[in-house]
Amino acid sequence: MRARTATVKCNVNLTITVDGYSAGTDQTEDRPFGHDGGDGTGDRLHAWMFDTPEENRAEIEELAAPSAFIMGRNMFGPVRGDWDRPWNGWWGDDPPFHGPVFVLTHHAREPQPMRGGTTYHFVTDGIESALAQAREAAEGGDVGVLGGATTANQYLAAGLVDELRLHIVPFTLGAGTRLFDGVPPLRLEQLTSRAATGVTHVTYRVLP
Amino acid sequence: MRARTATVKCNVNLTITVDGYSAGTDQTEDRPFGHDGGDGTGDRLHAWMFDTPEENRAEIEELAAPSAFIMGRNMFGPVRGDWDRPWNGWWGDDPPFHGPVFVLTHHAREPQPMRGGTTYHFVTDGIESALAQAREAAEGGDVGVLGGATTANQYLAAGLVDELRLHIVPFTLGAGTRLFDGVPPLRLEQLTSRAATGVTHVTYRVLP
């Protein structure tokens, strides 16, 4: 372990509606974020990244800055149960992670290397193991928990999150996967808050 | 009616935790916002108003800017059922409203004039009646729905709100009275978003 390890952070980075949802109901392969209230042609939650990338450059870079990543299986893809059909994530052959990504699942699978430095690792023994593996793989860099809310909530509830980076978008869903559900009350410190067109970026430190 | 009436706005103005609560559970006279996770000596939700008034002057003035106000009975006080004991709000003899305040209740009561121009009116025939009365009393000015979340949700669900002014504070409660509960999905436009110490102020226009 390097000396820097003590200050390595585990950050949750998540886009949510103003009522706290990171995805709507009924995710499918054609609808990665479920029923998001949009017209079905795009990703309504993450429009801020794709419609106004220049304005949100800092937050987009920050999203990709960790040295290792963790995500839940629903964020990785629509396949449920056994890996009974080919699926290598929503992000094509050259995913934007460029590093190790630890996918929480109950179904074992060999690591899947992709182009550009991304390798998907499949972790079947729980969130703490995934974090330990991600920390080791990060080699002194930060670990980013990318979602969805169910995965973020597990890490928050276990007290394993240092910072919470939220991108709050201007609509409500009323149903779906919601940040903070089942998480005991948290004390936070607002570190930064910045407005862009159609999104508010807020970073909180999770206090002990 | 004045010509300005057509542009009179009904605004919800509410302080919420980052998980959407405007109050915790178990409101009492000594605990107007219920269990807010604080040490019981102060108002944790609204600390931004009292601890850093200079920094939040614009938002504090905006809160008092409407010409007439609406609030739910739980915001008005801890008395439930009949008005069986004296209660004239949490705000003393000279409340900060300086205008007519329409309190939603199931229990009729005569109007209660206070010092400084505030008069509490008690409305027993529902939210639309309260809004109509407030609009008339506002004489061309805006109407402010001040809370709590239960009242805000009723107005939002009925499509009666023009703008939503939220003050998002850095903690979660996990229980209590929650904004957007039971409200059908909303399309919003982020009008302004501003950070201050320990609070993010966001104003949304409610789209049709």
Side-chain angles (χ1 to χ4, degrees):
Chain A
M1 291 264 187
R2 299 178 183 186
R4 213 185 126 200
T5 304
T7 59
V8 166
K9 285 183 289 195
C10 173
N11 300 326
V12 164
N13 200 318
L14 205 61
T15 296
I16 58 171
T17 61
V18 67
D19 62 339
Y21 292 93
S22 71
T25 56
D26 299 325
Q27 179 196 47
T28 66
E29 185 169 343
D30 294 331
R31 208 167 50 214
F33 296 94
H35 290 295
D36 67 358
D39 60 7
T41 62
D43 175 357
R44 194 177 173 215
L45 275 151
H46 301 87
W48 65 271
M49 290 183 201
F50 303 108
D51 294 352
T52 46
E54 286 304 317
E55 203 188 342
N56 296 292
R57 177 168 296 280
E59 288 77 14
I60 292 168
E61 286 178 357
E62 196 178 75
L63 197 52
S67 303
F69 301 90
I70 294 172
M71 64 175 68
R73 188 176 182 177
N74 291 6
M75 179 164 174
F76 182 66
V79 183
R80 301 289 179 272
D82 288 330
W83 297 104
D84 53 7
R85 66 185 175 98
W87 184 264
N88 291 333
W90 306 99
W91 301 274
D93 291 339
D94 185 6
F97 309 109
H98 310 298
V101 178
F102 295 84
V103 179
L104 297 164
T105 170
H106 293 292
H107 299 269
R109 179 174 160 183
E110 290 299 305
Q112 176 67 53
M114 309 293 289
R115 279 202 274 142
T118 297
T119 297
Y120 295 120
H121 301 269
F122 300 89
V123 180
T124 57
D125 53 351
I127 63 166
E128 302 209 10
S129 169
L131 181 56
Q133 292 180 54
R135 278 192 197 282
E136 184 162 345
E139 294 184 328
D142 289 342
V143 173
V145 176
L146 299 182
T150 306
T151 297
N153 290 343
Q154 290 180 63
Y155 280 99
L156 286 167
L160 297 172
V161 178
D162 297 297
E163 288 182 10
L164 189 52
R165 297 174 183 197
L166 301 180
H167 315 284
I168 304 173
V169 292
F171 59 98
T172 68
L173 279 176
T177 311
R178 196 175 201 173
L179 185 64
F180 301 123
D181 268 7
V183 178
L186 299 173
R187 294 172 57 238
L188 305 169
E189 177 189 354
Q190 180 180 297
L191 296 179
T192 66
S193 173
R194 191 180 81 82
T197 308
V199 61
T200 294
H201 306 288
V202 193
T203 299
Y204 296 107
R205 189 160 70 92
V206 181
L207 301 178
Chain B
M1 292 267 186
R2 298 178 184 186
R4 215 186 124 201
T5 305
T7 59
V8 167
K9 284 182 289 195
C10 174
N11 301 326
V12 164
N13 199 318
L14 205 62
T15 296
I16 58 171
T17 60
V18 67
D19 62 338
Y21 291 93
S22 72
T25 55
D26 299 325
Q27 180 196 48
T28 66
E29 187 169 343
D30 294 331
R31 208 168 49 214
F33 296 95
H35 290 294
D36 67 357
D39 60 7
T41 61
D43 175 356
R44 193 176 173 216
L45 275 151
H46 301 88
W48 64 272
M49 290 183 199
F50 303 109
D51 294 352
T52 46
E54 286 305 317
E55 204 188 341
N56 297 292
R57 177 169 296 280
E59 287 77 15
I60 292 168
E61 287 178 354
E62 195 177 77
L63 197 51
S67 302
F69 301 89
I70 294 172
M71 64 175 66
R73 189 177 181 178
N74 290 9
M75 178 165 174
F76 181 66
V79 184
R80 301 289 180 271
D82 287 331
W83 297 104
D84 54 6
R85 66 185 175 99
W87 183 265
N88 291 333
W90 305 99
W91 301 274
D93 291 339
D94 186 4
F97 309 109
H98 311 298
V101 178
F102 296 85
V103 179
L104 297 163
T105 170
H106 293 293
H107 299 270
R109 177 174 161 184
E110 289 300 305
Q112 176 66 53
M114 308 293 288
R115 278 202 275 143
T118 298
T119 297
Y120 296 119
H121 301 270
F122 301 89
V123 179
T124 57
D125 52 351
I127 63 165
E128 301 209 9
S129 169
L131 181 56
Q133 291 180 56
R135 277 191 197 282
E136 185 161 344
E139 295 185 323
D142 289 342
V143 173
V145 175
L146 299 182
T150 307
T151 297
N153 289 344
Q154 290 181 63
Y155 280 98
L156 285 167
L160 297 171
V161 178
D162 297 297
E163 287 182 11
L164 190 52
R165 296 173 184 199
L166 301 180
H167 315 284
I168 303 173
V169 292
F171 59 98
T172 68
L173 279 176
T177 311
R178 195 175 203 174
L179 185 64
F180 301 123
D181 268 7
V183 178
L186 299 174
R187 294 172 57 238
L188 305 168
E189 178 189 355
Q190 181 178 295
L191 297 178
T192 65
S193 173
R194 191 181 83 81
T197 309
V199 61
T200 294
H201 306 288
V202 193
T203 299
Y204 296 107
R205 190 160 70 92
V206 182
L207 301 178

